[in-house]
Amino acid sequence: FVSAVSGSITMASALTTQTAGGNIRYAAGTSIALSALNAGTGKVSLVTGTGSITDQNAASLNVTASQLRIESGGAVATGADALEITVDTLAAQSVNGMFFSEASALTIGTVSVAVDYLNANLSTTTVTDASLSGLVTSSNGAIVLVTANGTLTVAQVVTANGTGNVLLQAQTTAGNDKDVLLNAAASSGTGNISVIANNSVTQAAAGDLTTVGGTVDVEAQNGLITMANGAVASSGGGSIRYLAAQSVVLGGLNAVAGTVEVTATAGSITDGGIADLEVIAGTLRLDSSTGIGTSANALDISVATLAVRTEGSIYLEESDEVTVGSVAGVQVQRVAAAGTTAAWPVFAVATAGLTTTANGNIVLYTLNGSLTVDQPVSVTGNGNVRLETRAATVNDKDVFLNAPV
């Protein structure tokens, strides 16, 4: 138990505070300059009143513990020098940004910490830091959490205030098996969100991604993206890009009038449930190696302009009117470890019309709107094409063929 009631705590860069599994609590009225705390299987609590928590030992571990709880009146580390930790469970809140580099697997969860301190009469008093959940910033603080070699599980909400960006990333040093599991929501007020997994990304029904005007960037570098029925990514008009090395199972992607791109490099794009339209957007680009939707369960969309390429079949159900056109490759603002962003990918690929190969079928129908074909609709081999308009009430929904089919 170390406390500086109205001042700061500064640890020398080579110093370590260690227990044999006992809890550690450092609390300062202003700031903490942290070297290394090692609680083994115990817990660590860090509290600052008006200042930040900074890293004193460069790339060395700052905290080793089973659980870590942080309350900061300023920032937690910086984009140039994250707090290096190896813990099982993390919960933190800060006024400004927070930046973590975790050595292995980590769960964003709920943490409380109790410690005893020795009074002048040699009696002890227990100080308990109450349960804290998730990762939360205020004053436009970014949230960056990257695992060096482990799965990242989001079990409690991640909330970046205002323009604060969010990066949740699972990396690997050996074996492409490190996932990001979104079991709770992650959001930014108006900032950008990037979720990047070395292997797969899974969004549970409660694992929504939300921003208002920022972009949403989700990538499974070697595996799948799987959205549960009811899972939603919403951008409030910003671009949404989902990219998987294998297949993508969609819940709901809502860019309002913005652009959505979904790519399944070596797999299919399919419907994950009935709770939501799979895509709401102004423009939509889909790219898949083995198919989009199925004959038994088409992708449900509500978009103004559509372009699709696949080596399989295409099955799409549009809620109102739609144009088969040309859609430029989508760029999002990818969040870096520093909390800053840059356009990604550097070179985005455009798609025009509806194209299938390998004898794939194309089925596109509207439930209540006209269908305009401004770019070619093309199949190879013995693939079939069905373009259809339906009407909810008045029979006034047309098909306009302005390009070859």
Side-chain angles (χ1 to χ4, degrees):
F1 181 95
V2 178
S3 176
V5 176
S6 58
S8 63
I9 298 172
T10 301
M11 299 179 69
S13 60
L15 184 65
T16 298
T17 298
Q18 185 168 353
T19 68
N23 296 340
I24 298 174
R25 182 179 192 265
Y26 272 44
T30 55
S31 60
I32 297 175
L34 191 65
S35 179
L37 305 180
N38 188 343
T41 58
K43 303 177 184 181
V44 170
S45 177
L46 302 174
V47 181
T48 63
T50 60
S52 297
I53 299 169
T54 54
D55 181 357
Q56 286 284 86
N57 64 3
S60 299
L61 279 171
N62 298 111
V63 179
T64 301
S66 63
Q67 299 183 33
L68 173 59
R69 180 190 187 278
I70 295 179
E71 288 183 80
S72 173
V76 179
T78 67
D81 189 6
L83 208 66
E84 288 84 25
I85 62 175
T86 178
V87 304
D88 297 327
T89 307
L90 171 68
Q93 66 179 34
S94 64
V95 172
N96 303 120
M98 58 176 69
F99 304 86
F100 297 100
S101 175
E102 162 63 41
S104 56
L106 175 70
T107 296
I108 299 170
T110 300
V111 180
S112 63
V113 180
V115 295
D116 293 331
Y117 74 85
L118 193 64
N119 298 298
N121 63 2
L122 301 184
S123 64
T124 59
T125 299
T126 299
V127 175
T128 300
D129 291 326
S131 291
L132 188 67
S133 295
L135 304 180
V136 180
T137 66
S138 54
S139 297
N140 302 309
I143 297 175
V144 173
L145 173 54
V146 179
T147 67
N149 187 39
T151 290
L152 172 58
T153 302
V154 181
Q156 295 291 336
V157 296
V158 174
T159 306
N161 172 263
T163 59
N165 298 313
V166 176
L167 171 61
L168 302 172
Q169 183 172 9
Q171 300 181 133
T172 188
T173 58
N176 294 322
D177 58 355
K178 308 308 186 294
D179 303 323
V180 176
L181 308 177
L182 295 169
N183 298 329
S187 66
S188 170
T190 58
N192 305 287
I193 300 173
S194 290
V195 178
I196 306 168
N198 153 258
N199 188 39
S200 296
V201 176
T202 300
Q203 274 183 261
D208 293 346
L209 300 174
T210 306
T211 180
V212 181
T215 64
V216 178
D217 164 32
V218 178
E219 182 171 346
Q221 295 173 327
N222 292 282
L224 315 168
I225 297 175
T226 305
M227 301 178 72
N229 185 26
V232 173
S234 176
S235 68
S239 296
I240 297 176
R241 182 176 186 263
Y242 272 48
L243 168 63
Q246 298 181 35
S247 293
V248 178
V249 179
L250 289 176
L253 306 181
N254 187 348
V256 191
T259 300
V260 170
E261 177 178 293
V262 182
T263 302
T265 304
S268 60
I269 301 171
T270 55
D271 180 354
I274 61 173
D276 302 281
L277 288 168
E278 276 72 72
V279 181
I280 299 172
T283 56
L284 171 62
R285 178 182 181 273
L286 300 173
D287 194 308
S288 160
S289 68
T290 62
I292 295 167
T294 68
S295 58
N297 191 5
L299 288 191
D300 309 307
I301 62 175
S302 178
V303 305
T305 303
L306 172 70
V308 181
R309 188 212 69 85
T310 182
E311 296 168 27
S313 293
I314 298 169
Y315 298 93
L316 298 171
E317 176 187 285
E318 162 64 39
S319 64
D320 47 30
E321 64 183 27
V322 66
T323 296
V324 176
S326 180
V327 178
V330 175
Q331 284 188 317
V332 290
Q333 292 297 311
R334 173 153 290 188
V335 183
T340 55
T341 64
W344 182 263
V346 176
F347 301 105
V349 179
T351 300
L354 305 180
T355 303
T356 71
T357 58
N359 302 313
N361 300 317
I362 295 177
V363 176
L364 169 61
Y365 59 92
T366 68
L367 294 179
N368 190 39
S370 294
L371 169 58
T372 302
V373 179
D374 282 344
Q375 293 291 332
V377 176
S378 174
V379 301
T380 61
N382 59 9
N384 301 307
V385 177
R386 181 181 179 90
L387 303 175
E388 178 186 359
T389 60
R390 302 174 185 176
T393 53
V394 181
N395 294 321
D396 60 352
K397 306 304 184 285
D398 304 317
V399 176
F400 300 99
L401 295 176
N402 301 325
V405 177

